[in-house]
Amino acid sequence: MSAHIYDTPEVQDFLRLASGLDQSGGNPRTKQIVHRILSDLFKTIEDLEITSDEYWAGVAYLNRLGASSEAGLLSPGLGFDRFLDMRMDAEDKAQGVQNGTPRTIEGPLYVAGAPVAQGYARLDDGSDKEGQPLIMHGVVRGADGKPLAGAKVEVWHANTKGFYSHFDPTGEQQPFNMRRTIITDAQGQYKFQSIVPKGYGCPPDGPTQGLLNELGRHGNRPAHIHFFVTADGHRKLTTQINIDGDPLVFDDFAYATREGLVPPLVERTDAQSMQAQGLSEPFAEIVFDITLSALVNGVDNQIVDRPRLAA
Ligand code: FE
């Protein structure tokens, strides 16, 4: 079947009708977006001669995606999160806004309300016996390069099974395990002890991995640690660091890896280093300084307000 009806007045009128453009009520922005997306999809159906069977397979897929709460996982997998970041970077470039530490995607697994600590926190509760101890620290600087005391460093990461507290299907983790908010000290420093996380993959039988299989792509992420960093007079930074040496560092299904976000991981095995950290076993050390960007005309012009879990 190769009928070409998309450009007919009948179909174009129908698109306006279905998008509510002939109605006075509703939300104009929603109408604008729906009209565009519907138009693009109608055209795709026609151009690619999408069959009814293919269309209904797509509808069933969306139902599976929602039922498994994986829309927030498919989103980075298809590169939408990275594309939004690319657009924000381009906006900054056009406005001459300097970014210090690069932004990268938030991911769907942040939880608001983590315990707050001053300067230093222990993130893990010691229950993950597979975990190599990790000491990570650095200085948070403002746009002028000066250390920022009182900056808020929110950090969250997975355990060695690749699971996050509050989203752990095994139910093994306590609330807020491997999640803390650390306030930088008078020298702008933050520091934490935790374990080196492992990478993770999409649920193997889920709809996200199902689509990735159709695309011939894997659904795995390298090991990484997430951050939100906020301070007065600065824009909120959303970023992640990758664990150096992970084989997938530059092959992330969620496209979060960026130049400047893979700090070296140094293995500390000598007694003096261990003693200095109060540890009795070898550990990994990561030093990562963070530089924030200034407000633009007094506001955070790129703050992202998205639905997030709070506990
Ligand atoms: Fe993550």
Side-chain angles (χ1 to χ4, degrees):
M1 188 173 67
S2 56
H4 293 286
I5 58 170
Y6 178 79
D7 289 319
T8 61
E10 186 188 3
V11 170
Q12 292 303 308
D13 287 348
F14 183 47
L15 281 165
R16 283 189 283 275
L17 193 74
S19 308
L21 291 177
D22 64 332
Q23 300 292 322
S24 57
N27 180 319
R29 177 65 172 164
T30 306
K31 292 181 186 191
Q32 180 189 30
I33 294 170
V34 167
H35 181 253
R36 174 58 185 267
I37 292 175
L38 266 189
S39 299
D40 288 352
L41 289 180
F42 277 29
K43 186 143 181 30
T44 302
I45 288 171
E46 178 154 296
D47 288 352
L48 300 186
E49 297 186 35
I50 289 178
T51 65
S52 294
D53 290 4
E54 288 171 329
Y55 176 76
W56 291 113
V59 170
Y61 180 82
L62 290 179
N63 277 333
R64 282 204 305 282
L65 191 67
S68 59
S69 297
E70 284 195 16
L73 190 61
L74 183 65
S75 171
L78 290 181
F80 285 100
D81 300 32
R82 175 72 187 127
F83 182 60
L84 293 176
D85 277 356
M86 288 162 81
R87 284 181 45 78
M88 287 196 278
D89 284 348
E91 262 171 42
D92 281 348
K93 198 174 171 197
Q95 290 188 42
V97 174
Q98 297 288 330
N99 278 294
T101 302
R103 66 163 57 87
T104 195
I105 72 169
E106 173 179 333
L109 303 177
Y110 170 80
V111 181
V116 179
Q118 301 294 325
Y120 168 86
R122 172 91 188 253
L123 268 51
D124 69 306
D125 60 11
S127 63
D128 190 338
K129 300 300 178 196
E130 302 299 310
Q132 179 190 14
L134 167 69
I135 298 288
M136 180 164 171
H137 58 98
V139 175
V140 177
R141 294 192 173 86
D144 60 2
K146 292 186 183 145
L148 282 172
K152 191 163 87 169
V153 178
E154 295 177 85
V155 52
W156 69 104
H157 68 77
N159 65 9
T160 60
K161 291 177 178 164
F163 295 135
Y164 286 78
S165 59
H166 301 267
F167 298 93
D168 187 338
T170 70
E172 282 170 4
Q173 295 189 66
Q174 295 300 308
F176 292 111
N177 191 34
M178 302 180 200
R179 300 175 183 274
R180 288 294 184 278
T181 295
I182 304 167
I183 309 297
T184 56
D185 67 14
Q187 285 76 46
Q189 298 181 93
Y190 73 92
K191 181 178 179 182
F192 61 83
Q193 179 185 333
S194 194
I195 55 158
V196 179
K198 289 277 200 298
Y200 53 83
C202 300
D205 299 323
T208 302
Q209 188 59 57
L211 181 58
L212 293 171
N213 290 344
E214 291 280 317
L215 302 179
R217 290 179 47 200
H218 73 74
N220 299 310
R221 300 211 59 200
H224 58 274
I225 300 175
H226 295 265
F227 294 93
F228 283 158
V229 187
T230 44
D232 289 346
H234 292 81
R235 301 195 300 181
K236 175 180 176 177
L237 172 68
T238 301
T239 198
Q240 306 179 25
I241 61 125
N242 285 129
I243 300 300
D244 191 21
D246 189 299
L248 291 178
V249 160
F250 289 99
D251 186 17
D252 177 4
F253 101 96
Y255 306 110
T257 305
R258 299 196 67 177
E259 213 60 55
L261 298 177
V262 192
L265 179 151
V266 181
E267 303 281 354
R268 300 287 185 198
T269 55
D270 59 292
Q272 200 183 352
S273 296
M274 291 187 264
Q275 203 171 19
Q277 303 297 340
L279 292 169
S280 54
E281 54 186 319
F283 65 96
E285 182 177 16
I286 298 174
V287 180
F288 185 62
D289 294 339
I290 295 163
T291 302
L292 300 181
S293 58
L295 295 176
V296 175
N297 299 322
V299 296
D300 187 340
N301 64 326
Q302 291 184 336
I303 193 82
V304 176
D305 186 16
R306 63 187 267 183
R308 296 183 177 98
L309 193 66

